[in-house]
Amino acid sequence: MDSRRLLTILLAGALAWSLFSVDWDRDLVHPGGFGSLADILAALFSLDLSPSFLKVALSASWTTVAYATAGLTLACAIGLPLGIVASGSLGRGIPARLAGMAAVRLMLALLRSVHELVWAWLLIVAIGLSPMAAVLALAIPYAGILGRIYAEVLNDVPEAPLRALRASGASEVGVLLYGRLPMALPDMLSYTFYRFECAIRSAAIFSFVGVRGLGYELQISLDDLLFEQVWTLLFFLVALVVLVDLWSSSVRRSLTS
Amino acid sequence: MNSQAERGSGERPRIDVPRTSAAGFVALAIVSWIYIVSGDSGLWELFTVETWKEAGDFLRRLVGLETDGTSAFLDAASWKKALRLSVETLAMSVLAAGIAGAAALLTFLPGARNVGFGQSGGARSRVGVAAFFVTRGAFAFTRSVPELVWALLIVFVLSPGVLAAALALAIHNYGILGKLSAEVVENLDPRPARALRAAGAGWGQTLLYALLPQVLPQFITYLLYRWEVIIRTTVVVGFVAAGGLGREFRLNMSFLHYDDVGLLLLCYLFLVVGVDLASAGLRRLAR
C-alpha cells in the first residue's frame, strides 16, 4: 500500500480511538461553567492595571526570567560535556569509549524523557523545597535536550578541516577544541537561544510546586477568582515570551545567514 | 558573520548580533545567579550529608526497596490500574494532538505573510493583512501560555477529565503548530502556484493542488514531533485536569506512597519511549 495512504488511515484511526476515551455522556461542562466562562471573558475588559499590581507582576516576571536563565546556564554546563562524550568526538574505535558513548546517550534520553515539573516535584521531596530545586528541575531535562543536540551538531561539522588538523598532528582533543567546537558553535548557540524561550515558559509553571514567579501569582489570583489579575499576568507572560522569541530569532537569523 | 564580509568594506560595521547577545545573556545569567543565590536558595544545603541521606531514602522508597506492606511493583492490582491509566494518558495525548492539528490546519493559511499580503495569488487586501495579524496574534498568545496554565483556566469551565486535559494541551500546541505551518507556507516554492494560476486555476484550486500538497508532509512531521512533546506534558496537565497518570501521580505523592509513584514513573517512561518510536516510524511514512 502507498505509505501516505497508510499514514492517513493510521492517524485517522488513532484520532477516532482517542475520541472514544472521552466520556461524552457525563456532564462535560460544570454546572455554572458557562457562567465562569462569561466572568473570565468579561474580566478581559477590566484588566487590573493598578500600579501596585503592576509592580507585583513585574517582580514576578523578573523572578521567572531569573529561574529560566539560571536553569538554562546550568543545563548548558551539564549538557556540553555530556554532548561531547555522546558525539564520540573524543575518539572512536576503543570499546570502552563506545560503551561510554552509549551510556551517556541513554542517560541523556532518560533526563529529557521526564517533564521538568515532574523532576521538580521529585526533587522537592528529595532535597526540599528551595529555589535550587527549581533551577535543577529545569536544568536536568534541558541538559538532556541540549546534550543530544550538541552531540548531533558536533557530528555534523564538515570532515575536511578536521582531517587537515589531524594530518598536522593534532590529538583528538586538539581536533575537538580547534576544529569541531569552533565550527559547531554557531549552531549550538542558535539552538540554546531557541531553548531560552521554552525555559521562560517552563519556569513560569514551577509555581505549581510552590516556587515563586509569574505562575505563582497567577495561581493566587485564580484561587481568589480575580480574573482581572489573571489576564494581566497572562499578558505579562505573553509579552515576556514574545520578547525572548524576538531576541532569540534575531540571534538565530544572524547566525545562519 | 559571512554576511558582514559580503556587505563590503564601504559600509559601517553594524551591531554584531550574536556577540552582543551572547554577552547580554552571560550578564543576565550572572545577575540571575546572584539573585537566586543571595536569597534563601538552598544551594549550600545541597552539600550537606543530611540532604543526601534524605534523597537516598526517597530514592529507595521510589524504587520499592522500602515500603509498608507489599511494594506496588509486586502488586497485580497496582499494575492493572497503572496500565489502564497509561492507555488513558495515551488517548489524551492523541486527542490533544488531533484537536491542535485540526484547528491549526483550518487556520494556518491567513497566518502566512505571503498569503495575507497577497504575494501569492489574489490582490493585497486590507482583510488579508488584518487576518494575518489576528491569526499570528492568536498563535503567539496561545503558544506563550503553558499547557498547565490553560488547564488551570479550563477546569473553571469544563469538568476535570480527559477532554479538559486534552483541550488544555491542544490550545498551547495549536499556537505552535499554527506558527510552524504558516512559516512553511512562507518558505514554499512559489512556482507550482504560479504555474497553476497561469493555467487559469482559481484560488481554491491553487490551494488544493499547489499549496496543500507541499505543506501537508511537513505539517504531519511537525504534528508527530509535537505528539512526542505532548505525551511528556500530559502527565503534568493531569495534575490539575484530573486525567490519566497525572492525577494518580499527584494523589500518591500527597499520600507519600512513593512506590506507587515509582510504578507510575516507569509507565510514564515506557509511554514516552513508545511514542518516540511510533512517531519516528510514522514520520518515515510521511516522507
Side-chain angles (χ1 to χ4, degrees):
Chain A
M1 190 167 25
D2 175 8
S3 72
R4 292 233 168 118
R5 188 162 301 165
L6 179 65
L7 181 69
T8 313
I9 294 171
L10 284 174
L11 291 182
L15 185 60
W17 167 71
S18 75
L19 283 171
F20 279 110
S21 70
V22 180
D23 191 359
W24 294 104
D25 297 332
R26 221 189 40 167
D27 292 330
L28 286 175
V29 180
H30 278 309
F34 288 116
S36 329
L37 185 64
D39 287 348
I40 293 175
L41 291 180
L44 181 55
F45 300 100
S46 55
L47 295 178
D48 187 346
L49 296 173
S50 60
S52 64
F53 188 68
L54 286 182
K55 228 166 107 186
V56 169
L58 213 58
S59 111
S61 305
W62 158 244
T63 311
T64 298
V65 171
Y67 282 123
T69 316
L72 193 61
T73 46
L74 189 58
C76 290
I78 303 170
L80 185 61
L82 291 181
I84 288 173
V85 176
S87 75
S89 42
L90 291 173
R92 297 154 204 263
I94 307 163
R97 279 198 180 142
L98 221 61
M101 200 172 123
V104 169
R105 285 193 172 205
L106 190 69
M107 188 175 128
L108 288 174
L110 195 69
L111 296 186
R112 66 173 183 269
S113 288
V114 177
H115 192 272
E116 53 269 17
L117 199 60
V118 177
W119 276 119
W121 210 336
L122 295 175
L123 279 168
I124 281 169
V125 179
I127 65 173
L129 172 59
S130 67
M132 238 6 248
V135 171
L136 275 175
L138 191 82
I140 290 171
Y142 277 67
I145 298 164
L146 290 178
R148 179 187 134 194
I149 301 289
Y150 289 167
E152 278 172 17
V153 171
L154 284 169
N155 267 334
D156 284 349
V157 300
E159 272 294 319
L162 305 181
R163 250 180 271 134
L165 272 174
R166 275 193 208 105
S168 58
S171 65
E172 281 301 330
V173 176
V175 171
L176 177 71
L177 282 181
Y178 300 105
R180 275 186 203 278
L181 273 178
M183 277 195 285
L185 196 64
D187 279 345
M188 287 163 65
L189 215 59
S190 158
Y191 190 77
T192 311
F193 261 100
Y194 161 70
R195 276 284 147 189
F196 192 27
E197 183 202 330
C198 309
I200 298 272
R201 253 183 276 130
S202 300
I205 58 166
F206 279 141
S207 65
F208 195 73
V209 284
V211 178
R212 295 199 77 101
L214 270 176
Y216 185 85
E217 303 299 336
L218 208 105
Q219 211 161 12
I220 293 178
S221 301
L222 268 177
D223 288 345
D224 297 342
L225 301 180
L226 295 170
F227 296 123
E228 301 83 7
Q229 297 189 348
V230 171
W231 280 108
T232 308
L233 291 167
L234 283 182
F235 281 118
F236 265 84
L237 179 60
V238 172
L240 206 56
V241 172
V242 169
L243 272 180
V244 171
D245 181 28
L246 286 177
W247 184 17
S248 89
S249 58
S250 83
V251 173
R252 272 176 283 147
R253 249 199 319 277
S254 65
L255 282 172
T256 46
S257 65
Chain B
M1 285 176 231
N2 290 332
S3 59
Q4 263 179 350
E6 280 159 22
R7 244 181 252 128
S9 52
E11 212 171 309
R12 270 225 311 268
R14 307 225 340 239
I15 308 169
D16 185 349
V17 177
R19 215 167 284 257
T20 17
S21 297
F25 185 80
V26 169
L28 188 62
I30 293 172
V31 177
S32 301
W33 274 105
I34 292 175
Y35 169 76
I36 288 171
V37 175
S38 66
D40 185 12
S41 69
L43 176 62
W44 313 117
E45 282 82 346
L46 280 183
F47 304 103
T48 59
V49 183
E50 298 96 90
T51 306
W52 287 99
K53 218 175 126 268
E54 266 170 50
D57 279 348
F58 172 60
L59 202 62
R60 267 203 304 283
R61 300 187 59 177
L62 199 63
V63 297
L65 287 179
E66 215 170 278
T67 51
D68 346 298
T70 0
S71 146
F73 290 96
L74 302 172
D75 183 29
S78 305
W79 272 100
K80 220 168 137 186
K81 192 171 185 187
L83 288 179
R84 188 177 57 76
L85 290 171
S86 302
V87 173
E88 190 177 300
T89 306
L90 187 66
M92 275 157 70
S93 75
V94 173
L95 187 60
I99 298 174
L105 203 56
L106 287 175
T107 53
F108 72 90
L109 209 55
R113 191 174 288 272
N114 49 355
V115 174
F117 287 60
Q119 284 145 3
S120 69
R124 175 177 176 154
S125 67
R126 282 228 181 92
V127 181
V129 175
F132 167 78
F133 284 111
V134 169
T135 325
R136 274 304 174 93
F139 291 160
F141 191 83
T142 49
R143 163 172 68 96
S144 299
V145 177
E147 303 89 332
L148 188 69
V149 176
W150 282 123
L152 284 171
L153 283 170
I154 281 176
V155 290
F156 274 94
V157 182
L158 295 182
S159 322
V162 173
L163 189 68
L167 211 57
L169 288 160
I171 294 177
H172 173 73
N173 283 284
Y174 160 73
I176 294 180
L177 278 173
K179 182 194 175 212
L180 288 174
S181 15
E183 280 171 359
V184 172
V185 177
E186 286 173 2
N187 297 326
L188 275 188
D189 183 355
R191 284 172 300 185
R194 224 181 282 149
L196 272 178
R197 266 200 312 282
W203 200 83
Q205 285 164 319
T206 320
L207 177 71
L208 264 178
Y209 296 105
L211 261 169
L212 281 184
Q214 288 190 87
V215 175
L216 268 183
Q218 192 62 43
F219 176 79
I220 297 287
T221 309
Y222 282 142
L223 183 64
L224 290 168
Y225 271 127
R226 288 313 297 177
W227 185 34
E228 296 177 22
V229 180
I230 290 174
I231 189 77
R232 286 170 169 77
T233 323
T234 311
V235 175
V236 170
V237 170
F239 291 167
V240 288
L245 290 169
R247 193 181 92 105
E248 208 56 25
F249 183 91
R250 185 183 186 179
L251 285 178
N252 283 316
M253 273 308 240
S254 37
F255 293 149
L256 314 182
H257 292 164
Y258 295 135
D259 49 331
D260 287 288
V261 171
L263 180 63
L264 295 173
L265 276 178
L266 189 69
C267 292
Y268 176 43
L269 282 178
F270 273 118
L271 265 185
V272 168
V273 174
V275 166
D276 282 5
L277 292 177
S279 150
L282 291 172
R283 266 184 279 130
R284 203 160 304 135
L285 287 181
R287 247 185 267 137

